[in-house]
């Protein structure tokens, strides 16, 4: 097994200029190939993201990050430069709080100043591109390029780069093999996949840069990340979901008194939806025409929830901007809270999601599949069912809420406690490994045909409709989160749960063989659950896929495996290579 | 003649609710019918526009107006309100420098504060429309609505309204008939038609409001009016031509030194034209989706000079926004200077333009007609030919320029003197009336077939190409200003010049009959030149037009005659009713 990953790495290397040309990932790729494992280990050891923030509310954490991002700039750097000189140069504009470098389509620096005035000062000394200026859109954003005179470039020590992409499945398997228990494996997986503090900084910075574009017309508006960027379950490489929050505009504009007053003349739309579409369409156009580094802009305005989709090249993020999506933000907060209450929650969610993606239970393409959000709710529900329960019900979180937590969105009570210290948990000492095994057993035998999942009450209820899978939307309680899932997809999930539960009972899976060296160890524990299924539809799918593969497919597969959004590729590799 | 205008006015009155419904001009129309003449007289007496500014350069005047506009707001008022209470209310936000009211699709107030901070203060106390706020685009501009509680509305004395529309041809004829000499008629015509100080304020305010939209992305950009708004020859109701001036953005962004430097990352276009189109397309979209009061937005981006056209409903202005049109601005300055040098210049230009419009020599629709700009250059050229000359050559204006006047645009030397006191004129005491007569004689006999008009040299030159009319572009000297004019249109112009020159020789035209009372006087002097031509194509055109007239044409004609952009309608009436 380890040997086959070694071959795989050699193949990557043999691509030579290919990846450099197509993906611009040279430094990243080369570095990953030689030192990925140690980097992941360092990153996992550096996992202070969640702990450090534990005593703050969700809103306070988001606000702090947003405010940091407003004091930050994103700078494209030349291939070679001196870090100290770079910092000296920038320090002329004020104290630098924090900075880091990463590599994606080139080398970039994120620099956070301690004061927003430094940004103004920096921008004043920044010039527009000189030669071609008349054929350039002179939009002055916080995305800058460092120009380094040629004669100063040579023999510079390079700074450390922070990884922004997920580890490959090969790296993951290698890491897991070295662990001594399944518990350690699940913890290691979580730490290797989760968003780093710096990656979250970068996500907030991209939102802030987009906020500058949207804020041009709506100064009080805020672009807020939601979903996996903030809910504690985000994986490196996942999309950045953003909300255009216009509430601040209306908040400051309440009419008072009964005398003379002035009102803004505004354009009217036929409906709130029409106005949202109008605003998003303009922002989409601006991003497309002016937004530096923003490519592939799509206005998807006829969707149920209208959105603008684009790729932010300097960060490598795929971004989805919606508006008026306050329930989605509240759902992110709910998941965040559940993830904070017990470390086993995140271990389970990361493991189940990774397992599901490898087995093509989930997909990055919309369809009849189970979504990551549904999987997470399934984990939460399962943990509410333990004896004693590991997680409280949503109703309990509402009961514990203080007056300032009160929140009603479009008639739905979305109140949940924000002060986590108010939540008292019962003592349950089950290991993550035991819980994962029980998760598979639980859903391998769940009566999906008649029962629905309800985390608000923390118990199964009779299904109000005949859809295959019914998971009550936590806040919009008349909606089914998994309405899209069809019987086939549900059946695949159940079969895989049963298979994994069965594997968990085999001793050669449960324990690492002590006679094997780290280099030659066979997949065991969680790694064994990632091997191609023999019973589920995934195998069928992979056979069909192989038949259709064109001659050039080997190179394409390799290129795919280099893509930043690693999750999808991992899934394809996992199911397409049953010989492993 | 006077009687027929009386009938015409009665017809207007008989429209009743029609105009109110279709044009929203109720107050304006009613007032015009009862007191137009006195209003025009008052306005003509109040003609301090040009004189007051005489000692300032063109740039200084524009800059002062622009700066005033930035401190101004446009407020939609209820049908009844109390002016003093209104001013008291606004004064809470700072000292009001100036204010006036006008009526156009409702009642509006222009309020200029003495400090820009008052605008911020005012906006802070202004709210978004309350009930429908979620279906409103919350763009906070300086176009506001005054809300006046219902019980305070009754029996309020109404403020004085400032006329923003040109007088009708009936009113003009009435005014001219009352004068004692043709010279007085030409002066009166100029004063009745020219832009008022307040109308120019309103034009700059509309540019400034649009600047807020464009400036959202390009903070250093300025929207500047050019053409008739600023060249001294604008007529009430004429379009507002605007330039998006991005020079300020590049000016502050010069790269210095050879060390480290930062550059903005910007989107590139294939060419300067492509970037201009991109910027205009976004501004057009923003104006369309967000710009309050902006309707009928058209992006005309494939034109030689790409532009965004829209109607600004609260002001009643038709607006054309272009970009990178610095030569056009310089041409405006040139005409402004010529207009300032001698009052007879403006009298002649206003008279010739009005005469040309009445006889359909010019049109608001693009075509093979002579343009107003060409007509103005013809007048300038004619005045350069007097003995002694009344106007200096353009070459002379360049010679007199100081070092700070140096101006080269795209390789063309556009330098002209900005300090008018440097220009010394020769003494020529010809009356405006004599000059007008000589103008008709001059162009009635001009060798257009072989000679071109050249105001740079101040003499005719041999035609470099075979177009019917060749008027050298003052700054882009290889271009012909009147390339569009065909032989038929030139011939119509020449024939009408000859006819008008002939009329000028008849004593019944030249002198007002002293036996007639003011009410029953026949058209004489300049008014006689506006009567339908017997020789030109205009008569032919009007016969054809009558044949095609549908049954409802009478009402349509009346409605047309009420339109704000009076010039075109006047022309149609002038040619369509040869019985007058």
């Amino acid at each position: 097994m380890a040997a086959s990953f070694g071959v795989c790495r050699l193949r990557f290397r043999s691509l030579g200029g290919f990846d450099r040309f197509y993906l611009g990932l040279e430094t990243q790729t080369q570095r990953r190939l030689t030192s990925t494992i140690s980097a992941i280990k360092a990153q996992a050891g550096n996992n202070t993201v969640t702990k450090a923030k534990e005593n703050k509310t969700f809103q306070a954490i988001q606000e702090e990050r947003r405010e940091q991002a407003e004091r930050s700039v994103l700078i494209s750097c030349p291939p070679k430069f001196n870090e100290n000189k770079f910092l000296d140069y920038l320090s002329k504009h004020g104290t630098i709080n924090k900075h880091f470098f990463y590599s994606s389509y080139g080398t970039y620096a994120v620099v956070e100043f301690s004061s927003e005035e430094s940004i103004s000062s920096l921008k004043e000394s920044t010039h527009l591109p000189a030669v071609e200026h008349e054929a350039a859109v002179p939009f002055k954003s916080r995305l800058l390029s460092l120009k380094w005179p040629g004669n100063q470039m040579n023999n510079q020590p390079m700074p450390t780069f922070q990884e922004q992409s997920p580890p490959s499945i090969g790296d993951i398997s290698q890491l897991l093999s070295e662990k001594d228990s399944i518990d350690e494996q699940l913890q290691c997986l979580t730490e290797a996949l989760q968003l780093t503090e710096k990656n979250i900084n970068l996500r907030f910075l991209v939102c802030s840069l987009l906020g500058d574009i949207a804020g041009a017309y709506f100064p009080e508006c805020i672009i807020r990340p939601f979903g996996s960027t903030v809910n504690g379950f985000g994986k490196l490489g996942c999309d950045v979901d953003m909300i255009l929050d216009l509430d601040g505009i209306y908040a400051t504009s309440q009419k008072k008194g009964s005398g003379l007053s002035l009102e803004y003349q505004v354009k009217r739309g036929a409906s709130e939806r029409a106005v949202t579409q109008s605003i998003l369409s303009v922002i989409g156009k601006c991003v497309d025409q002016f937004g530096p580094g923003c490519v592939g802009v799509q206005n998807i305005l006829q969707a149920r929830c209208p959105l603008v989709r684009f790729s932010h090249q300097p960060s490598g993020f795929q971004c989805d901007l919606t508006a008026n999506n306050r329930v989605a933000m509240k759902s992110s907060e709910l998941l965040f809270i559940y993830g904070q209450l017990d470390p086993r929650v995140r271990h389970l969610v990361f493991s189940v999601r990774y397992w599901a993606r490898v087995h093509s239970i989930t997909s990055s393409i919309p369809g009849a599949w189970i979504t990551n959000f549904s999987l997470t709710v399934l984990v939460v529900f399962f943990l509410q069912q333990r004896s004693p329960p590991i997680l409280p019900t949503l109703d309990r979180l509402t009961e514990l809420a203080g007056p300032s937590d009160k929140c009603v969105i479009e008639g739905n009570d979305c109140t949940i406690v924000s002060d986590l210290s108010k939540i008292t948990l019962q003592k349950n000492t089950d290991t993550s490994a035991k819980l994962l095994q029980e998760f598979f057993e639980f859903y391998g035998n769940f009566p999906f045909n008649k029962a629905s999942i309800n985390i608000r009450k923390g118990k199964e209820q009779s299904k109000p409709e005949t859809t295959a899978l019914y998971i009550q939307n936590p806040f919009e309680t008349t909606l089914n989160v998994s309405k899209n899932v069809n019987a086939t997809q549900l059946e695949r999930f159940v079969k895989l749960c049963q298979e994994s539960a069965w594997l968990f009972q085999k001793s050669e899976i449960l324990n690492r063989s002590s006679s094997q060296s780290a280099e030659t160890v066979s997949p065991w524990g969680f790694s064994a659950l990632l091997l191609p299924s023999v019973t589920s539809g995934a195998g069928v799918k992979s056979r069909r896929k192989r038949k259709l593969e064109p001659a050039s497919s080997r190179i394409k597969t390799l290129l795919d495996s280099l893509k930043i959004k690693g999750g999808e590729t991992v899934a394809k590799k996992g199911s397409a290579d049953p010989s492993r």
Side-chain angles (χ1 to χ4, degrees), chain A:
Chain A
M1 184 70 195
S4 80
F5 286 130
V7 170
C8 183
R9 261 183 264 156
L10 280 170
R11 275 191 195 153
F12 286 178
R13 224 169 234 160
S14 71
L15 280 168
F18 234 93
D19 49 345
R20 200 171 309 158
F21 182 75
Y22 282 104
L23 300 165
L25 291 173
E26 40 176 339
T27 321
Q28 182 175 323
T29 310
Q30 286 159 8
R31 276 187 33 264
R32 182 187 295 169
L33 299 177
T34 53
S35 66
T36 319
I37 306 298
S38 60
I40 297 168
K41 285 176 188 168
Q43 180 174 299
N46 196 15
N47 172 33
T48 53
V49 181
T50 343
K51 300 289 175 194
K53 307 272 182 186
E54 240 166 27
N55 53 348
K56 290 184 184 159
T57 65
F58 177 77
Q59 276 88 358
I61 296 169
Q62 309 318 314
E63 194 51 32
E64 183 184 325
R65 290 211 159 106
R66 192 178 73 75
E67 198 264 327
Q68 286 167 349
E70 307 236 306
R71 289 184 269 110
S72 303
V73 288
L74 185 53
I75 304 180
S76 161
C77 300
K80 293 192 171 188
F81 64 99
N82 179 296
E83 182 172 356
N84 289 335
K85 282 191 187 165
F86 171 78
L87 293 175
D88 281 354
Y89 178 74
L90 292 177
S91 297
K92 288 188 296 186
H93 302 285
T95 309
I96 295 173
N97 264 6
K98 197 160 71 184
H99 78 282
F100 63 90
F101 300 93
Y102 69 90
S103 178
S104 158
Y105 300 87
T107 299
Y108 284 88
V110 172
V111 180
E112 181 198 312
F113 288 93
S114 64
S115 155
E116 221 172 315
E117 285 153 29
S118 300
I119 304 291
S120 318
S121 165
L122 190 70
K123 287 182 84 172
E124 262 170 47
S125 79
T126 300
H127 54 84
L128 287 165
V131 184
E132 303 165 79
H133 81 240
E134 299 227 304
V137 179
F139 177 62
K140 297 179 176 177
S141 77
R142 283 181 283 142
L143 174 56
L144 314 175
S145 294
L146 178 69
K147 298 292 158 182
W148 200 281
N151 57 356
Q152 298 177 28
M153 274 206 210
N154 299 322
N155 304 318
Q156 300 293 343
M158 287 301 284
T160 309
F161 291 102
Q162 302 296 321
E163 189 59 56
Q164 307 298 333
S165 311
S168 70
I169 187 166
D171 294 333
I172 289 283
S173 285
Q174 176 82 17
L175 273 172
L176 298 187
S177 307
E178 294 170 12
K179 296 293 158 192
D180 290 323
S181 69
I182 296 180
D183 260 20
E184 279 181 31
Q185 283 187 328
L186 301 187
Q187 180 177 341
C188 171
L189 183 80
T190 304
E191 289 169 351
L193 294 177
Q194 73 185 353
L195 302 184
T196 61
E197 181 72 25
K198 294 187 169 69
N199 188 266
I200 298 176
N201 289 152
L202 184 56
R203 288 165 181 267
F204 273 81
L205 178 51
V206 171
C207 291
S208 181
L209 295 176
L210 189 65
D212 287 350
I213 294 181
Y217 288 107
F218 307 108
E220 300 96 338
C221 89
I222 296 173
I223 304 270
R224 302 185 191 278
F226 74 101
S228 48
T229 297
V230 299
N231 66 16
F233 299 109
K235 199 179 76 177
L236 285 171
C238 68
D239 292 357
V240 184
D241 290 315
M242 308 171 175
I243 292 177
L244 174 70
D245 180 351
L246 292 167
D247 288 350
I249 298 182
Y250 299 109
T252 57
S253 276
Q254 295 308 309
K255 187 178 170 179
K256 294 173 201 103
S258 62
L260 289 196
S261 64
L262 285 169
E263 201 172 84
Y264 289 104
Q265 275 203 27
V266 293
K267 286 227 165 169
R268 308 293 171 113
S271 63
E272 187 183 342
R273 179 179 164 84
V275 168
T276 300
Q277 288 170 327
S278 162
I279 292 175
L280 285 179
S281 76
V282 173
I283 293 176
K285 177 131 192 164
C286 292
V287 169
D288 192 28
Q289 303 282 319
F290 300 160
C294 300
V295 297
V297 181
Q298 301 171 60
N299 284 357
I300 306 171
L301 301 176
Q302 299 311 318
R304 192 184 62 81
C305 186
L307 67 100
V308 174
R309 175 167 292 169
F310 64 97
S311 296
H312 187 256
Q313 223 165 29
S315 64
F317 293 139
Q318 178 81 16
C319 304
D320 276 355
L321 173 68
T322 56
N324 298 332
N325 206 346
R326 291 167 65 210
V327 174
M329 182 60 92
K330 211 67 196 176
S331 299
S332 303
E333 182 177 355
L334 178 65
L335 294 195
F336 173 82
I337 289 174
Y338 278 131
Q340 289 295 95
L341 292 178
D342 189 297
R344 292 171 292 183
V345 180
R346 297 179 73 242
H347 298 167
L348 239 66
V349 170
F350 273 94
S351 306
V352 169
R353 284 188 177 188
Y354 196 69
W355 164 88
R357 180 55 63 97
V358 167
H359 290 294
S360 300
I361 293 291
T362 54
S363 165
S364 61
I365 308 158
W369 347 100
I370 298 177
T371 62
N372 272 334
F373 182 71
S374 292
L375 277 182
T376 310
V377 177
L378 288 177
V379 172
V380 168
F381 182 74
F382 162 74
L383 293 173
Q384 288 172 337
Q385 305 301 303
R386 295 310 84 207
S387 179
I390 292 177
L391 287 178
T393 65
L394 174 49
D395 273 345
R396 180 69 189 145
L397 297 182
T398 305
E399 281 163 31
L400 292 169
S404 64
D405 296 331
K406 184 79 188 163
C407 174
V408 176
I409 301 169
E410 288 161 21
N412 298 298
D413 186 359
C414 300
T415 307
I416 42 175
V417 61
S418 60
D419 177 1
L420 303 198
S421 69
K422 286 188 187 170
I423 306 170
T424 49
L425 299 170
Q426 298 180 60
K427 193 167 175 71
N428 178 319
T429 56
D430 289 347
T431 63
S432 296
K434 176 162 188 274
L435 291 170
L436 184 61
Q437 182 179 2
E438 287 179 357
F439 174 89
F440 292 132
E441 284 166 6
F442 184 83
Y443 287 114
N445 296 293
F446 192 83
F448 287 112
N449 59 330
K450 53 180 189 185
S452 73
I453 309 286
N454 182 327
I455 64 166
R456 183 165 276 284
K457 303 287 171 207
K459 46 186 175 213
E460 58 193 71
Q461 298 195 300
S462 60
K463 267 162 78 170
E465 49 179 66
T466 56
T467 40
L469 177 59
Y470 196 102
I471 302 175
Q472 193 194 57
N473 188 310
F475 294 116
E476 296 170 290
T477 52
T478 58
L479 302 181
N480 174 11
V481 161
S482 52
K483 194 174 182 168
N484 63 309
V485 178
N486 64 18
T488 310
Q489 291 302 322
L490 177 63
E491 194 186 333
R492 287 188 55 225
F493 170 71
V494 171
K495 283 255 168 66
L496 266 166
C497 281
Q498 290 166 349
E499 187 179 307
S500 292
W502 173 77
L503 284 170
F504 246 118
Q505 290 165 350
K506 299 170 91 177
S507 63
E508 67 272 29
I509 300 290
L510 276 175
N511 302 306
R512 179 180 176 185
S513 166
S514 56
S515 66
Q516 293 176 313
S517 75
E519 286 303 306
T520 59
V521 71
S522 312
W524 66 278
F526 186 70
S527 292
L529 305 185
L530 304 179
L531 294 177
S533 158
V534 284
T535 60
S536 85
V540 177
K541 201 178 166 200
S542 69
R543 275 195 299 277
R544 190 174 58 232
K545 197 177 165 194
R546 258 181 303 165
K547 220 164 35 185
L548 296 170
E549 269 187 354
S552 64
S553 70
R554 200 182 61 90
I555 288 171
K556 191 180 170 303
T557 306
L558 286 170
L559 280 172
D560 281 348
S561 71
L562 287 170
K563 276 187 187 156
I564 293 171
K565 295 183 55 194
E568 299 87 305
T569 323
V570 166
K572 277 179 214 141
K573 278 170 64 73
S575 59
D577 189 3
S579 67
R580 268 179 37 238

